[in-house]
Each structure stands twice: as structure tokens, then as C-alpha cells.
Amino acid sequence: MKALSQRRRHPLAAIALLLLGLLVTGGLYAVAGSVNEAKAQTTTYSAKDIEEGEKLFVANCATCHGLGAVGAPKGAHGNQAGPSLIGVGAAAVDFQVGTGRMPMQMSGPQAQVKPVQFNEEQTDQLAAYVASLGAGPAIPSEEMLDTTQGNAAKGGELFRTNCAMCHNAAAAGGALTRGKFAPSLEGVTGEHIYEAMVTGPQNMPVFSDANISPEGKRDIITFLKTIEAQGSPGGAALGSLGPVAEGLFMWTAGLGVIIALTIWLTQRSS
């Protein structure tokens, strides 16, 4: 018993317990993340769609993202040509390809929106192939995009709390650092808005179901579509940039009126 007691008081015992605790905690976190991603990937694709998607990927995407979507090797400056797509899910592909951001037209701080390069069927096939490589967020169902079931008031609260600091309170977009920007959300489909929230493109963070529930995401989409339909009932939106743009406009317009009035009064007196 004395020998056993001495072993329990060994100086390395505390370190061993700490490492064991970190290992268990990290393992549980990884399992929880995997379960969340696997739960998101609910859409099933046919073997033919996956096969056709692989052909499209090899012909159009493998140059940057590598064969098997494992990512391209790093260049001379240490930057990777294209990240790995394993585990990004069908939603990421549908968003990037469906908005024309991919394939990229040119290198830059972030991918630009442009006319789409693939039709809807080809986009679905590419999504099917990437989804087959690893569990990830799926393309949202029609129920999650049905704004008639959403709450615009709650969506507005969620948007102002989580999104307005980058996208502007009126969803007009805004500048970020190093040439990047948060795009305007006007005219963006509900499907692509939902996919952006669950995949986190560009500088955007990922909003998992633990951060914002699927119903909350639907409420945000409902809010965005509501303000988009309302337009600008107060008059000219001036880019929806807020009091700075409005104040500048009034200052410029007011100063112009004062100058014009001064010139008119001076001409009358002479």
C-alpha cells in the first residue's frame, strides 16, 4: 500500500492527468464537430451525378484545388493555389459556383461575383462529387427557405447582432481590410444566403446551427427579403450608407443652395 501511495504522488502524475484531460476534451470536441457536419449532409446523390461531377471537377477545378480536391501545392511565396475541398459539403460548392465566384476569373483579395460558368445540372453534379469526399453542410431544403414561415422582426434582430457590422444595417455591404469587402445582399437568393451562413465564404465566419438555428437563418432571410421588397420608403437611399452619406449630401446640397442664393442676391444689388 505504501508503494502504491508513493506512485500516486509521483511528480509527473499531475502532468499526466492534465494531458489526459486535454486529450479527452479535444476528442469530444472533434466528435461533436463531426456529428454536426455529418448531420448537415443529408442530401443523397446518385453514382452517375458523382461520376459526372468528378469529370467536371478534373477538367475545370483540379488545376487549383488538386486531383481529389486535396488542395494544390504551395507556390514560391508560400501561398496555396487552392484549398482542400474535402468536408466543405455541397452547400459550399453550390454557393461558390452558383454565384459565379468559382472558377475565379483572376487572382485577388477575394473571388468576385460574375456570370455563372455552369448550368444548374452541372453545379449539382459538382456539388455531388465534393459532397461524396466528406460530410459537410448540405444544400438547404425548401422548408428552410420558405419566408412565409419566417419572422422578419426576429430576423432583423439576428442580422443586426451577427451581420450588420460587415454587411451594413441595411444589408448594403461595406469595406473590409486589405481590399476585401462584404458584398451587398440585395438580389441574392435565399438559398445562397443560407449557404453563406453555414459555409463562411471569404472573410465571413461560419454560423453553425449552434450559433444560429435553421429557423433563425430562415428569419434572417425573411428580414432581408422584406427590406428588399420595401425599397426606400423615406426617399433616395443614397447607397444605404447611413448618416455619413446623408449628412454629406445635405451639406453639399445646402452649401450649393447658399452659394446660388448669394450669387443671385449679388446680381440683383448690382
Side-chain angles (χ1 to χ4, degrees):
M1 293 295 294
K2 185 177 180 181
L4 182 60
S5 176
Q6 288 177 345
R7 288 194 186 95
R8 287 178 179 173
R9 295 172 183 162
H10 195 281
L12 296 179
I15 298 177
L17 286 174
L18 179 61
L19 292 175
L20 180 61
L22 291 173
L23 182 63
V24 171
T25 303
L28 291 175
Y29 183 83
V31 169
S34 300
V35 169
N36 190 35
E37 289 183 352
K39 182 180 177 182
Q41 183 60 55
T42 56
T43 306
T44 56
Y45 298 98
S46 66
K48 182 180 179 182
D49 284 339
I50 295 174
E51 182 181 354
E52 292 299 321
E54 183 177 9
K55 293 177 182 177
L56 288 169
F57 185 90
V58 171
N60 300 277
C61 314
T63 303
C64 293
H65 292 286
L67 292 174
V70 296
K74 293 184 178 180
H77 299 287
N79 57 326
Q80 197 172 35
S84 170
L85 300 181
I86 297 176
V88 301
V93 178
D94 190 68
F95 174 81
Q96 297 287 356
V97 178
T99 59
R101 288 178 167 86
M102 292 290 162
M104 287 184 69
Q105 189 173 29
M106 60 182 179
S107 298
Q110 67 184 56
Q112 302 285 340
V113 175
K114 65 181 188 303
V116 296
Q117 305 297 303
F118 300 97
N119 58 38
E120 186 174 348
E121 181 183 11
Q122 292 172 325
T123 301
D124 288 340
Q125 290 170 344
L126 280 168
Y129 170 65
V130 172
S132 71
L133 301 176
I139 297 172
S141 64
E142 292 296 329
E143 181 184 359
M144 290 296 98
L145 303 176
D146 186 2
T147 55
T148 61
Q149 300 183 35
N151 187 314
K154 291 183 179 179
E157 293 177 5
L158 288 170
F159 184 86
R160 287 187 290 272
T161 301
N162 298 280
C163 318
M165 64 285 295
C166 293
H167 287 283
N168 179 288
L176 301 176
T177 59
R178 299 184 179 182
K180 299 179 181 180
F181 62 93
S184 169
L185 300 180
E186 183 178 0
V188 181
T189 66
E191 180 176 311
H192 289 153
I193 293 172
Y194 194 106
E195 290 167 346
M197 285 190 277
V198 296
T199 61
Q202 312 295 352
N203 276 5
M204 184 172 172
V206 175
F207 294 100
S208 67
D209 291 349
N211 302 122
I212 302 177
S213 68
E215 293 74 20
K217 293 181 177 73
R218 181 174 59 195
D219 291 342
I220 289 176
I221 295 171
T222 303
F223 165 72
L224 292 172
K225 293 306 172 186
T226 299
I227 62 173
E228 183 177 317
Q230 289 177 344
S232 180
L238 300 177
S240 297
L241 297 178
V244 175
E246 295 167 3
L248 178 62
F249 175 79
M250 292 304 300
W251 174 265
T252 305
L255 189 61
V257 170
I258 292 174
I259 293 173
L261 183 61
T262 303
I263 294 175
W264 180 69
L265 290 174
T266 309
Q267 288 178 341
R268 287 192 62 186
S269 62
S270 60

